[in-house]
Structure formats: structure tokens, C-alpha cells
Amino acid sequence: MNVALMLLAQSALGNLHAQMGLLFAAFMLGLALGGFCLSCFFCGRERVVLALLLASAAASVLLCGQAGRLLTQGLVVFLVLQAGIGFLVGGVFPAAAEMGETHGARLYGADLWGACLGGAACASLFIPVWGFQAAMSAAAVPGGAVVLWRVTAWPERRRSR
């Protein structure tokens, strides 16, 4: 989603060389704020992790419908969107880190792999071939799939306790 927003910002704003650092910084600020704010209240709660993943998937779908409208917006809108997406992603890690010794590390590793593969696929395939809306829709799939998988596994876990 981060890459799709960056490329959409480039289409809306033109050449991004001067603004690229600000857009990355806004995303990183969102990561830090999400991690800080949510670590105070929700550590170790799997439902919070799932809610944040679902919110991230919903944001992708909502932004998908607004891709054309975003092309007419200025830099501030893209900074806010980057920070908001960063907040959702950053909030997942403190909550997941307290779920067990390996859960946090696995989640972080999966996020890094997903970001690497998703960024490469988004920039080289999804946007050039399918466009911004399809790329943003595709960004919702992994988070939504994890939530669906975990929610359907809850009855089995309750029975096994």
C-alpha cells in the first residue's frame, strides 16, 4: 500500500524528488506513533492485531475507490495517508510482540518479506498492468486473509484448551 500511495502521489504531484523524503518520513512517523500509542494499552492481545490488520485491509479498499480523486490532491493529503497507514502497521508490532516469544519475530519477518515482495510487485506489475485501483485492492488481500484464517481457527483453539 505504501508503494501504491507513493506512485499515486507521483502521478498527482509530478516529480517527487523533493517530496520523497517527506512521504517516507510521514510513513515512519505513523509507524512510531502507532507502535507507541498502542503499546501502552494493547500488548499481547491477538484481537487487537487482527483488528489492525482488518483496518489496514479496509483502508486499502477505501483508498482503492478514491484513487481517481486522490490524483487531484496535494502533498498534505498524501502525508496524512502515509502516516495513517504507518500508524495501523506500527500498532501491530507491540501487540504481537507480547503474544509469545516467536510470534512477534515471525510477524516482523513476514512483514518485511511482504513489504519487499509487495513493493516489487506493486511497482513492476500491479500498477503498470492493472492500475492504481487494482494495486490498492490487492494490498487488502494479505491482511484480510490473515484475519479470516485466524477467526476461523478460534473455535478449534477453544475446543483444544
Side-chain angles (χ1 to χ4, degrees):
M1 173 86 115
N2 186 18
V3 172
L5 277 174
M6 295 289 273
L7 293 172
L8 192 61
Q10 181 177 1
S11 295
L13 303 172
N15 194 348
L16 277 186
H17 295 293
Q19 295 102 350
M20 190 72 77
L22 289 174
L23 290 166
F24 278 119
F27 182 74
M28 298 304 278
L29 175 66
L31 286 173
L33 289 174
F36 176 76
C37 292
L38 295 175
S39 69
C40 297
F41 305 106
F42 300 116
C43 282
R45 297 188 183 161
E46 182 177 5
R47 291 176 192 250
V48 172
V49 172
L50 295 176
L52 289 168
L53 289 172
L54 189 59
S56 182
S60 296
V61 170
L62 290 173
L63 285 173
C64 166
Q66 299 300 317
R69 183 182 232 181
L70 289 172
L71 288 171
T72 63
Q73 301 301 311
L75 178 63
V76 172
V77 171
F78 289 100
L79 292 173
V80 170
L81 288 172
Q82 289 283 36
I85 295 300
F87 185 88
L88 293 174
V89 173
V92 169
F93 294 111
E98 296 294 323
M99 287 169 35
E101 281 184 31
T102 60
H103 289 302
R106 286 182 182 165
L107 179 68
Y108 188 61
D111 180 66
L112 293 175
W113 272 110
C116 175
L117 297 174
C122 185
S124 63
L125 176 66
F126 294 159
I127 290 176
V129 175
W130 299 328
F132 288 113
Q133 291 179 327
M136 289 183 176
S137 293
V141 172
V146 168
V147 170
L148 182 62
W149 172 67
R150 294 304 290 174
V151 168
T152 58
W154 275 339
E156 293 173 15
R157 289 195 330 217
R158 284 192 204 122
R159 277 186 251 137
S160 65
R161 288 183 185 178

